[in-house]
Amino acid sequence: MTDTAAAPAQVPLVDYLVLGDHPHLVAHQCTSCGARFFDRRNACAGCFGTEFEPADIATEGVVKAFTIVTFAAPGVPVPFVAAIVDCDGTSVRGNIINTEPDPEHVKLGMKVRLATFSLGADDQGTEAIGFGFEPA
Amino acid sequence: MAENVYILGINMTKFGKHADKDVVDLGAEAAMAALADAGVTMRDMGILAAGNLMNAGAGFGQRLQKQIGQTGIPVYNVANACATGATALRTVIMAVKSGEVDMGLAVGVEKLAGAGLLGGGGTPKKDSKVWEPSGRFGAVAPTDGRIGTDAMPGTFAQVGMEYGHKYGEVSFETFAKISEKNHAHSVLNPLAAYSKRFTLDEIMNDMMIAYPNTRPMCSANCDGGAAAVVVSETKLRTLSLGQQRRAVKISASVLTTDPYEEGCQILPNVNTLTRNAAKIAYEQAGVGPEDLNLVELHDCFATAELVHYDNLMLCPEGGAVEFFESGAPWRDGSTPVNVSGGLQSKGHPISATGIANIWEVCHHLRGEAGDRQIEGAKVGLAHVIGLGSACGVHILEKSAA
Ligand SMILES: [Zn+2]
């Protein structure tokens, strides 16, 4: 069981989510053209460059597309709001959380900010942390 | 100068449930009917291109040959998501255009009845007992539903919503009205999987799948096959006057993929590759959007149809809502779109779709579309999108012979 003296270990839902005091997303940025990718690339899809550097993604953005999913694959809890958020010029995929999943509460152009949530602890007491975007 | 190419014969099976037929039966039915329509036999074919996406590794083309005629010709089994049928057709067109063969057969078939909603299926994924990163994102748990949606209805819903964000919000009602149009059109199509007219209220109040797409606004999974015989102009001129008269000219055949743009790997960009394909196709054919008498476009969801009005340049950029509200894409409008009923009612047996939409256009250009004939149709366009992505655009013209 968890040692109460030490903070429980945490693991991000995906490797491009950086936890800590200021949770944020990080991308692989092409050093020649600036294109950003959340998974690894052999070469840049835009300019074929092979050099990448880590780039922090803005934690605030604007909803540029969303859908409210009410019918999904088995095991996927519904309803949820899937969205594309424009984070200062970088498109990010994530759910809109901490608000009602209906068109009265979720709007195109809405300002949102990154927020994290717990997916629970595994058998070793490690807590998985996911992210979404909440109204700002 | 490359050879001009024509559709000599073409067929689609009834779309719907075919419980007593497997994919080879359905493919054979479409292929033999296309050959009969063309007035030729398997002996005349120089190439076969075949698609059956759900069993892409099973050698569908060779299995089909064993059912309808093994002549030793090359078979290309193709797979390109929802653009598989168009890719099979384009493969044959390239072979004929190059002069390697003077005739070829393209076949697409799928059995999907009972498969549920497109992309909405799949097996349940269990969260593991110990968080362990896996995959390209180092994910410790399934991301579908936690980081956006992987399913088609939600993906294409966002495509429509993104259009609204860019050009001015599009109401749920507008998207639903697009579906109302296609279901109304389907009433005249005896080969459609569903040919029932719905009221706007019925569409809006049906089961919500992924806002703003309700169930009737999603393409219908079903069984179906389609096949086409392609011939070179040189060969066509040696055939009977009757064959020449019914042949339909393929004025443009284009296949594109999505070029890199910011965000295209976050939400698939189905716009640019369609616009690129359309531009090339209009140039190849020497026609413009205003010359089209009918368009069959890939309305896998009502939200997708809206953006493709714009992508195919049927309206000025940003003007898709106005174009629709003007009545233009209704069958009595200036640019009838999806008079077959579209994927939402005719159905979407994936690999058959990209040939079946060509069949619809040919049917009108030949003046054989019966009750739903678009009078005097001379030029038509067929479009498909396969996510991933691939886009096929074909422009067809009534034979001058
Ligand atoms: Zn680059």
Side-chain angles (χ1 to χ4, degrees):
Chain A
M1 292 275 84
T2 332
D3 181 353
T4 44
Q10 290 186 333
V11 60
L13 171 57
V14 283
D15 60 13
Y16 61 90
L17 169 63
V18 179
L19 300 177
D21 292 343
H22 304 286
H24 63 280
L25 305 180
V26 65
H28 303 278
Q29 177 168 295
C30 172
T31 56
S32 358
C33 77
R36 290 172 168 183
F37 306 95
F38 287 104
D39 58 341
R40 61 188 184 272
R41 296 290 138 163
N42 300 75
C44 173
C47 76
F48 333 128
T50 53
E51 299 287 322
F52 295 89
E53 62 192 0
D56 289 348
I57 306 297
T59 54
E60 298 204 343
V62 168
V63 174
K64 66 172 190 177
F66 74 90
T67 180
I68 304 157
V69 178
T70 38
F71 182 91
V76 176
V78 289
F80 66 92
V81 182
I84 308 299
V85 177
D86 179 348
C87 292
D88 200 18
T90 302
S91 297
V92 178
R93 185 176 143 157
N95 288 3
I96 303 299
I97 58 173
N98 302 335
T99 187
E100 290 302 310
D102 63 51
E104 283 69 51
H105 292 84
V106 183
K107 302 273 184 198
L108 290 169
M110 184 170 92
K111 287 194 169 66
V112 291
R113 63 172 167 249
L114 189 99
T116 58
F117 62 90
S118 174
L119 277 74
D122 66 12
D123 292 348
Q124 296 168 357
T126 306
E127 187 185 22
I129 304 292
F131 75 92
F133 291 88
E134 64 182 11
Chain B
M1 187 66 195
E3 268 277 9
N4 283 323
V5 289
Y6 288 74
I7 300 282
L8 184 63
I10 189 160
N11 180 265
M12 69 174 272
T13 68
K14 164 125 177 81
F15 282 5
K17 283 194 180 77
H18 291 281
D20 53 338
K21 290 175 185 147
D22 62 21
V23 288
V24 184
D25 294 324
L26 273 177
E29 183 183 325
M32 290 177 70
L35 289 165
D37 185 50
V40 295
T41 72
M42 275 308 282
R43 186 63 65 200
D44 301 299
M45 299 301 108
I47 177 179
L48 169 63
N52 174 222
L53 194 67
M54 292 298 123
N55 287 289
F60 166 66
Q62 284 86 344
R63 289 168 63 211
L64 179 66
Q65 284 181 304
K66 290 171 180 66
Q67 202 72 17
I68 65 171
Q70 286 173 258
T71 53
I73 57 170
V75 165
Y76 294 82
N77 288 298
V78 304
N80 223 352
C82 299
T84 295
T87 304
L89 182 67
R90 169 123 187 85
T91 302
V92 174
I93 290 170
M94 286 194 294
V96 175
K97 240 183 167 26
S98 75
E100 275 208 27
V101 299
D102 56 23
M103 243 188 259
L105 177 65
V107 185
V109 61
E110 216 73 58
K111 284 209 67 168
L112 288 172
L117 283 157
L118 186 61
T123 45
K125 291 168 199 154
K126 275 240 150 58
D127 291 352
S128 77
K129 289 281 193 186
V130 174
W131 304 122
E132 206 166 321
S134 73
R136 293 193 72 88
F137 296 108
V140 300
T143 55
D144 184 17
R146 288 191 172 110
I147 305 177
T149 177
D150 288 344
M152 299 284 174
T155 300
F156 279 95
Q158 292 176 91
V159 164
M161 296 296 272
E162 186 186 35
Y163 189 88
H165 180 62
K166 199 166 168 189
Y167 297 113
E169 197 147 341
V170 188
S171 69
F172 171 31
E173 185 175 320
T174 297
F175 288 122
K177 279 181 175 168
I178 292 175
S179 190
E180 181 191 21
K181 166 183 75 74
N182 290 354
H183 287 291
H185 285 168
S186 76
V187 172
L188 296 171
N189 186 356
L191 297 184
Y194 301 95
S195 42
K196 177 181 181 293
R197 189 167 186 157
F198 291 87
T199 65
L200 185 60
D201 271 358
E202 284 171 333
I203 291 168
M204 294 181 75
N205 293 315
D206 206 315
M207 181 186 177
M208 184 61 76
I209 304 296
Y211 179 89
N213 287 322
T214 63
R215 186 167 48 184
M217 296 164 73
C218 302
S219 52
N221 276 343
C222 65
D223 305 335
V229 175
V230 176
V231 66
S232 70
E233 179 156 31
T234 309
K235 179 71 180 177
L236 178 63
R237 294 305 162 220
T238 70
L239 302 177
S240 77
L241 266 181
Q243 283 166 307
Q244 294 188 42
R245 220 173 281 127
R246 288 183 73 250
V248 171
K249 188 179 180 193
I250 304 166
S251 322
S253 171
V254 182
L255 194 67
T256 57
T257 58
D258 46 333
Y260 178 77
E261 286 166 90
E262 199 290 314
C264 73
Q265 298 180 7
I266 301 299
L267 179 68
N269 183 335
V270 300
N271 304 315
T272 306
L273 81 167
T274 297
R275 189 170 287 271
N276 287 351
K279 268 186 207 156
I280 299 167
Y282 290 133
E283 200 176 297
Q284 271 182 16
V287 303
E290 66 285 354
D291 299 316
L292 302 173
N293 301 119
L294 75 155
V295 172
E296 287 288 306
L297 63 74
H298 201 72
D299 64 320
C300 49
F301 298 91
T303 45
E305 175 155 332
L306 184 89
V307 305
H308 294 317
Y309 295 149
D310 200 321
N311 296 329
L312 295 172
M313 293 172 270
L314 308 181
C315 62
E317 192 180 334
V321 173
E322 213 177 354
F323 172 79
F324 176 74
E325 298 288 358
S326 78
W330 280 81
R331 55 171 291 115
D332 57 357
S334 54
T335 312
V337 174
N338 290 334
V339 296
S340 65
L343 277 51
Q344 291 164 61
S345 17
K346 180 176 72 177
H348 185 21
I350 302 175
S351 295
T353 295
I355 298 176
N357 61 5
I358 305 259
W359 177 86
E360 180 70 23
V361 174
C362 287
H363 217 43
H364 291 269
L365 299 181
R366 285 166 155 186
E368 297 173 0
D371 287 348
R372 70 178 186 288
Q373 177 68 39
I374 298 297
E375 284 310 321
K378 287 189 170 58
V379 188
L381 181 149
H383 158 261
V384 286
I385 275 272
L387 261 202
S389 297
C391 173
V393 169
H394 287 86
I395 295 178
L396 302 141
E397 279 182 80
K398 188 185 179 72
S399 179

